Amino acid sequence: MAHPTVSETVFFLDTASRVGLQAQIRETVVSAVLAGRIQPGAQLPSTRKLADYLNISRITVTLAYQELASQGYVEAASRSAYRVAGNPPTNALAANAPQAGGDAIDWSTKLRSSFIVAKQMRKPLDWRRYPYPFLYGQMDPSLFDLTAWRDCARRALAREDFEQMAGDFAAADDVQLVNYICSRTLPSRGIRANPDEILVTVGAQNALWIVIQLLLRQGAHAVCENPCHPDMSASLMLSGARVTAIDVDKEGLPPETLPKDVDAVFVTPSHHSPTGATMPIERRARLLEAAAEQNFIIVEDDYEFEMSFLAPPSPALKAFDRSGRVFYIGSFSKSLFPGLRLGYLVAPAPVIREARALRALMLRHPPGHLQRTAAYFLALGHHDAVLHRMRGEYHKRHVVMAEALKREGLTIAGSSAFGGTSFWVEGPKGLDADRLMNELRQDGVLIESGSPFFPDDDGPCRFFRMGYSSIPRNNIDEGVSRTAARMAKLMSQAGG
């Protein structure tokens, strides 16, 4: 019986990709075999035919086929013809794979609860192909010193460093990184802390999760801001505690609105998420007084303070804490890059001991080589240089965007007084920001709907966030113009 022939049209090469042409050909074949799109014994296009179709060298195809043959995925049928192996490496896996139907497991009876409780902030992974990405939290690679980072990574692989980093830290952290946080990062926020009062975490979210597990239990009472980052509100709800969301104003969370029986208050006083509001010193003092009087803990998420180009950021709330009631959470995600996933928790030593033990149960410790690389990058001054470059460029983008929003008649509902990287925009009454976000993709524009920040609001949200950390400065005007045009079109349709 003749074997089926695989059409050359299943192959596609991305010439802009950093993945080599041979590797792309191999990936096409392997993924097709794994998915069952190509059956064992199927005849592949000849090396000459596929090379002509892809407009590449025949030797490139030949080498890709030969590598697949050495891996057992294909076998030579003749000098230039190959076919999928009769028993490729995936067959044993497929034979033992669970079959659909039959005695399928009802997972709703097995899982303790659903952890998908937050409204998802949808950010496409291929956002770089959009010409107008107003996404918050993404980075501009042109502002980062990749050469210096690579050099620091190589330093961290030196024999002395490697022998230390390759071992199991148990529950410890990289000493150099902790010392830098103590001596440089925290003092810039007005905070003094000893090494035993610091825990390195896998980003700020990991620190937040650990704190919630330590402080809250069934029947406890927590307060958060409204609007609030969806990961914050979801983590609080999953703790089993009673959660009260308090509306923020232009100065952040009003301490006088706090209920009486509170165990913990979660705030972003220096830069409220998402409005950018900054809590003034007088209000911070009242919040600390309330914490002492009512015996509750304050958890401060102090993000993006480094992006200060309009004015110096005010000291952290933790800087005014004299009793240890403020737990401080920081991160390097905004000042370095979001994929780094390194943050830190500052709290009294007894709390850090418990937090370290809890972290050890979850993930032992953040990767040692990553901690040491970051420590070198910080200590050698590269971090300061990157921040200087970011502040200068973001200041320019901030000015361009503020003018564009004003020119197009869009209402700025919030932005950081010291700088930051985003604007909180209020649309007209009746606007559905979710729909606006989805339809703007047709125009090459990416924004973030504000609806995930209001977990208890089921109606349409008219607020949305526009970041400028990842969009080229020259694209801002056109992107804002397209946003205003699409919003006007939606409102016209709603009115009609």
Side-chain angles (χ1 to χ4, degrees):
M1 183 176 66
H3 293 297
T5 301
V6 178
S7 171
E8 64 272 16
T9 59
V10 305
F11 292 85
F12 170 79
L13 294 181
D14 181 2
T15 56
S17 173
R18 296 182 180 180
V19 179
L21 301 181
Q22 291 182 39
Q24 291 187 51
I25 293 173
R26 296 198 304 269
E27 288 175 5
T28 299
V29 174
V30 172
S31 62
V33 171
L34 287 170
R37 297 193 302 272
I38 298 180
Q39 298 301 316
Q43 192 84 25
L44 293 174
S46 70
T47 56
R48 184 183 302 279
K49 187 175 183 180
L50 184 56
D52 290 343
Y53 174 76
L54 296 175
N55 194 27
I56 61 175
S57 167
R58 183 180 177 186
I59 190 62
T60 300
V61 179
T62 300
L63 291 174
Y65 279 1
Q66 288 176 351
E67 179 64 22
L68 287 167
S70 70
Q71 295 173 344
Y73 285 98
V74 306
E75 54 193 24
S78 64
R79 190 176 65 175
S80 64
Y82 291 79
R83 60 172 172 255
V84 177
N87 187 31
T90 57
N91 269 15
L93 295 175
N96 295 319
Q99 302 298 311
D103 298 327
I105 298 174
D106 180 4
W107 290 109
S108 64
T109 66
K110 299 293 184 183
L111 300 178
R112 181 170 63 88
S113 62
S114 173
F115 288 89
I116 309 175
V117 297
K119 293 182 179 179
Q120 298 300 302
M121 299 176 65
R122 299 184 295 277
K123 298 183 181 182
L125 295 178
D126 61 344
W127 63 268
R128 294 187 189 279
R129 73 179 182 87
Y130 290 82
Y132 311 104
F134 292 102
L135 292 182
Y136 176 79
Q138 299 296 351
M139 69 171 294
D140 183 345
S142 68
L143 301 176
F144 186 74
D145 193 343
L146 181 57
T147 300
W149 181 262
R150 285 172 173 165
D151 177 65
C152 292
R154 285 193 293 269
R155 286 173 178 265
L157 286 173
R159 179 173 297 278
E160 181 179 350
D161 291 279
F162 180 75
E163 289 177 354
Q164 181 179 357
M165 296 303 103
D168 186 352
F169 281 24
D173 292 315
D174 181 74
V175 174
Q176 290 189 23
L177 181 58
V178 172
N179 286 342
Y180 185 91
I181 294 172
C182 282
S183 63
R184 291 287 302 279
T185 305
L186 294 179
S188 70
R189 303 298 293 128
I191 301 172
R192 291 184 178 181
N194 297 317
D196 63 352
E197 296 174 312
I198 297 171
L199 178 76
V200 178
T201 60
V202 184
Q205 182 61 31
N206 179 224
L208 176 67
W209 181 271
I210 290 173
V211 167
I212 289 175
Q213 298 305 307
L214 292 176
L215 291 181
L216 302 178
R217 58 186 63 85
Q218 198 79 29
H221 188 187
V223 166
C224 66
E225 300 158 324
N226 186 51
C228 176
H229 194 286
D231 290 348
M232 169 83 78
S233 56
S235 299
L236 289 173
M237 287 188 288
L238 285 171
S239 71
R242 178 162 51 102
V243 180
T244 299
I246 295 181
D247 293 343
V248 300
D249 56 26
K250 63 181 181 180
E251 295 183 340
L253 185 146
E256 60 273 12
T257 61
L258 289 172
K260 296 298 182 184
D261 56 339
V262 181
D263 296 293
V265 175
F266 294 77
V267 290
T268 53
S270 295
H271 186 184
H272 173 253
S273 175
T275 69
T278 297
M279 185 182 291
I281 301 299
E282 297 78 12
R283 182 171 285 192
R284 298 183 192 210
R286 294 203 302 274
L287 180 58
L288 287 169
E289 290 171 1
E293 293 171 359
Q294 302 178 37
N295 193 28
F296 61 77
I297 299 299
I298 301 171
V299 180
E300 176 184 17
D301 184 0
D302 189 31
Y303 76 104
E304 209 175 58
F305 72 86
E306 304 95 338
M307 299 305 138
S308 52
F309 47 78
L310 296 178
S314 56
L317 180 64
K318 176 69 175 173
F320 302 98
D321 176 31
R322 298 293 178 265
S323 61
R325 290 188 177 277
V326 179
F327 294 2
Y328 179 89
I329 295 175
S331 171
F332 295 111
S333 294
K334 301 298 186 296
S335 59
L336 290 177
F337 50 90
L340 180 63
R341 307 311 307 147
L342 278 181
Y344 47 93
L345 169 66
V346 182
V351 176
I352 293 298
R353 283 197 297 271
E354 292 295 323
R356 194 177 300 281
L358 178 58
R359 187 194 67 180
L361 293 177
M362 299 167 63
L363 47 83
R364 300 289 278 181
H365 56 77
H369 180 255
L370 193 59
Q371 290 192 57
R372 179 56 57 89
T373 300
Y376 276 133
F377 195 83
L378 297 166
L380 293 173
H382 300 307
H383 181 236
D384 293 332
V386 168
L387 285 179
H388 179 75
R389 196 156 47 245
M390 285 181 173
R391 288 173 185 145
E393 176 58 27
Y394 291 162
H395 190 182
K396 295 174 183 176
R397 295 183 192 182
H398 177 96
V399 172
V400 171
M401 192 160 174
E403 293 175 350
L405 291 169
K406 182 178 180 180
R407 183 172 58 252
E408 296 294 341
L410 297 180
T411 302
I412 299 175
S415 65
S416 173
F418 59 78
T421 59
S422 66
F423 287 93
W424 183 243
V425 182
E426 181 178 3
K429 187 176 181 179
L431 175 70
D432 185 342
D434 285 330
R435 183 179 175 187
L436 175 64
M437 176 183 67
N438 293 332
E439 295 199 7
L440 273 172
R441 292 192 181 188
Q442 304 171 29
D443 305 321
V445 180
L446 296 177
I447 65 168
E448 295 175 89
S449 170
S451 63
F453 296 94
F454 299 93
D456 297 327
D457 190 355
D458 295 328
C461 175
R462 69 175 186 270
F463 292 92
F464 55 94
R465 182 165 64 177
M466 300 182 73
Y468 48 86
S469 62
S470 55
I471 184 172
R473 194 192 325 158
N474 294 337
N475 290 12
I476 290 177
D477 279 339
E478 178 62 22
V480 172
S481 176
R482 294 189 181 201
T483 301
R486 177 64 67 171
M487 187 168 67
K489 183 178 179 180
L490 289 179
M491 297 310 298
S492 176
Q493 293 172 350

mmCIF file of all heavy atoms in Angstrom, residues 323-340:
data_model
loop_
_atom_site.group_PDB
_atom_site.id
_atom_site.type_symbol
_atom_site.label_atom_id
_atom_site.label_comp_id
_atom_site.label_asym_id
_atom_site.label_seq_id
_atom_site.Cartn_x
_atom_site.Cartn_y
_atom_site.Cartn_z
ATOM 1 N N SER A 323 6.942 51.015 64.796
ATOM 2 C CA SER A 323 6.511 49.883 65.627
ATOM 3 C C SER A 323 6.567 48.546 64.904
ATOM 4 O O SER A 323 6.268 47.516 65.501
ATOM 5 C CB SER A 323 5.086 50.126 66.130
ATOM 6 O OG SER A 323 4.186 50.239 65.037
ATOM 7 N N GLY A 324 6.946 48.545 63.621
ATOM 8 C CA GLY A 324 7.003 47.295 62.865
ATOM 9 C C GLY A 324 5.661 46.834 62.343
ATOM 10 O O GLY A 324 5.503 45.666 61.978
ATOM 11 N N ARG A 325 4.668 47.748 62.293
ATOM 12 C CA ARG A 325 3.336 47.369 61.822
ATOM 13 C C ARG A 325 3.220 47.366 60.291
ATOM 14 O O ARG A 325 2.233 46.874 59.764
ATOM 15 C CB ARG A 325 2.273 48.317 62.386
ATOM 16 C CG ARG A 325 2.031 48.153 63.865
ATOM 17 C CD ARG A 325 0.846 48.960 64.328
ATOM 18 N NE ARG A 325 0.597 48.718 65.746
ATOM 19 C CZ ARG A 325 -0.103 47.678 66.199
ATOM 20 N NH1 ARG A 325 -0.624 46.823 65.351
ATOM 21 N NH2 ARG A 325 -0.273 47.519 67.499
ATOM 22 N N VAL A 326 4.197 47.917 59.610
ATOM 23 C CA VAL A 326 4.128 47.990 58.145
ATOM 24 C C VAL A 326 5.027 46.921 57.539
ATOM 25 O O VAL A 326 6.238 46.885 57.801
ATOM 26 C CB VAL A 326 4.562 49.386 57.635
ATOM 27 C CG1 VAL A 326 4.511 49.430 56.105
ATOM 28 C CG2 VAL A 326 3.665 50.466 58.224
ATOM 29 N N PHE A 327 4.439 46.041 56.732
ATOM 30 C CA PHE A 327 5.197 45.090 55.939
ATOM 31 C C PHE A 327 5.375 45.715 54.554
ATOM 32 O O PHE A 327 4.400 46.155 53.935
ATOM 33 C CB PHE A 327 4.457 43.759 55.803
ATOM 34 C CG PHE A 327 4.294 42.995 57.086
ATOM 35 C CD1 PHE A 327 4.746 43.495 58.297
ATOM 36 C CD2 PHE A 327 3.668 41.755 57.082
ATOM 37 C CE1 PHE A 327 4.582 42.786 59.480
ATOM 38 C CE2 PHE A 327 3.497 41.032 58.252
ATOM 39 C CZ PHE A 327 3.954 41.547 59.451
ATOM 40 N N TYR A 328 6.596 45.725 54.076
ATOM 41 C CA TYR A 328 6.927 46.431 52.833
ATOM 42 C C TYR A 328 7.255 45.424 51.741
ATOM 43 O O TYR A 328 8.055 44.497 51.932
ATOM 44 C CB TYR A 328 8.116 47.348 53.081
ATOM 45 C CG TYR A 328 8.593 48.124 51.885
ATOM 46 C CD1 TYR A 328 8.075 49.376 51.577
ATOM 47 C CD2 TYR A 328 9.595 47.609 51.055
ATOM 48 C CE1 TYR A 328 8.545 50.104 50.490
ATOM 49 C CE2 TYR A 328 10.066 48.322 49.965
ATOM 50 C CZ TYR A 328 9.536 49.566 49.689
ATOM 51 O OH TYR A 328 9.993 50.283 48.610
ATOM 52 N N ILE A 329 6.638 45.598 50.552
ATOM 53 C CA ILE A 329 6.875 44.725 49.405
ATOM 54 C C ILE A 329 7.460 45.549 48.262
ATOM 55 O O ILE A 329 6.902 46.586 47.882
ATOM 56 C CB ILE A 329 5.573 44.037 48.944
ATOM 57 C CG1 ILE A 329 5.061 43.086 50.030
ATOM 58 C CG2 ILE A 329 5.790 43.284 47.634
ATOM 59 C CD1 ILE A 329 3.720 42.457 49.711
ATOM 60 N N GLY A 330 8.601 45.114 47.744
ATOM 61 C CA GLY A 330 9.241 45.779 46.615
ATOM 62 C C GLY A 330 9.542 44.779 45.512
ATOM 63 O O GLY A 330 9.457 43.564 45.696
ATOM 64 N N SER A 331 9.919 45.298 44.345
ATOM 65 C CA SER A 331 10.175 44.434 43.197
ATOM 66 C C SER A 331 11.152 45.111 42.254
ATOM 67 O O SER A 331 11.232 46.336 42.182
ATOM 68 C CB SER A 331 8.863 44.125 42.465
ATOM 69 O OG SER A 331 9.106 43.467 41.242
ATOM 70 N N PHE A 332 11.891 44.286 41.503
ATOM 71 C CA PHE A 332 12.776 44.788 40.458
ATOM 72 C C PHE A 332 12.150 44.655 39.070
ATOM 73 O O PHE A 332 12.809 44.915 38.060
ATOM 74 C CB PHE A 332 14.108 44.032 40.481
ATOM 75 C CG PHE A 332 14.910 44.259 41.734
ATOM 76 C CD1 PHE A 332 15.088 43.254 42.657
ATOM 77 C CD2 PHE A 332 15.474 45.498 41.987
ATOM 78 C CE1 PHE A 332 15.823 43.458 43.811
ATOM 79 C CE2 PHE A 332 16.216 45.727 43.139
ATOM 80 C CZ PHE A 332 16.393 44.704 44.058
ATOM 81 N N SER A 333 10.879 44.260 39.011
ATOM 82 C CA SER A 333 10.235 44.002 37.725
ATOM 83 C C SER A 333 10.127 45.246 36.858
ATOM 84 O O SER A 333 10.295 45.184 35.639
ATOM 85 C CB SER A 333 8.831 43.412 37.943
ATOM 86 O OG SER A 333 8.911 42.145 38.536
ATOM 87 N N LYS A 334 9.809 46.385 37.463
ATOM 88 C CA LYS A 334 9.626 47.604 36.680
ATOM 89 C C LYS A 334 10.949 48.279 36.346
ATOM 90 O O LYS A 334 11.105 48.878 35.287
ATOM 91 C CB LYS A 334 8.724 48.589 37.452
ATOM 92 C CG LYS A 334 7.334 48.035 37.772
ATOM 93 C CD LYS A 334 6.550 47.722 36.523
ATOM 94 C CE LYS A 334 5.123 47.308 36.852
ATOM 95 N NZ LYS A 334 5.036 46.056 37.614
ATOM 96 N N SER A 335 11.937 48.182 37.247
ATOM 97 C CA SER A 335 13.197 48.883 37.018
ATOM 98 C C SER A 335 14.197 48.056 36.223
ATOM 99 O O SER A 335 15.157 48.613 35.687
ATOM 100 C CB SER A 335 13.817 49.279 38.363
ATOM 101 O OG SER A 335 14.058 48.140 39.164
ATOM 102 N N LEU A 336 13.995 46.746 36.140
ATOM 103 C CA LEU A 336 14.846 45.911 35.298
ATOM 104 C C LEU A 336 14.015 45.352 34.153
ATOM 105 O O LEU A 336 13.936 45.929 33.089
ATOM 106 C CB LEU A 336 15.499 44.801 36.133
ATOM 107 C CG LEU A 336 16.573 45.290 37.121
ATOM 108 C CD1 LEU A 336 17.111 44.153 37.967
ATOM 109 C CD2 LEU A 336 17.709 45.972 36.374
ATOM 110 N N PHE A 337 13.345 44.225 34.370
ATOM 111 C CA PHE A 337 12.423 43.717 33.358
ATOM 112 C C PHE A 337 11.440 42.763 34.027
ATOM 113 O O PHE A 337 11.782 42.073 34.985
ATOM 114 C CB PHE A 337 13.160 43.033 32.197
ATOM 115 C CG PHE A 337 14.186 42.009 32.612
ATOM 116 C CD1 PHE A 337 13.845 40.679 32.785
ATOM 117 C CD2 PHE A 337 15.515 42.383 32.821
ATOM 118 C CE1 PHE A 337 14.786 39.738 33.147
ATOM 119 C CE2 PHE A 337 16.475 41.455 33.184
ATOM 120 C CZ PHE A 337 16.108 40.127 33.356
ATOM 121 N N PRO A 338 10.186 42.714 33.548
ATOM 122 C CA PRO A 338 9.134 41.962 34.243
ATOM 123 C C PRO A 338 9.394 40.465 34.322
ATOM 124 O O PRO A 338 8.982 39.818 35.280
ATOM 125 C CB PRO A 338 7.874 42.276 33.427
ATOM 126 C CG PRO A 338 8.358 42.772 32.111
ATOM 127 C CD PRO A 338 9.663 43.459 32.385
ATOM 128 N N GLY A 339 10.097 39.903 33.321
ATOM 129 C CA GLY A 339 10.356 38.474 33.353
ATOM 130 C C GLY A 339 11.389 38.061 34.381
ATOM 131 O O GLY A 339 11.600 36.866 34.605
ATOM 132 N N LEU A 340 12.051 39.017 35.026
ATOM 133 C CA LEU A 340 13.059 38.701 36.032
ATOM 134 C C LEU A 340 12.447 37.977 37.220
ATOM 135 O O LEU A 340 13.037 37.046 37.771
ATOM 136 C CB LEU A 340 13.745 39.989 36.493
ATOM 137 C CG LEU A 340 14.838 39.849 37.553
ATOM 138 C CD1 LEU A 340 16.004 39.027 37.021
ATOM 139 C CD2 LEU A 340 15.325 41.220 38.003
#
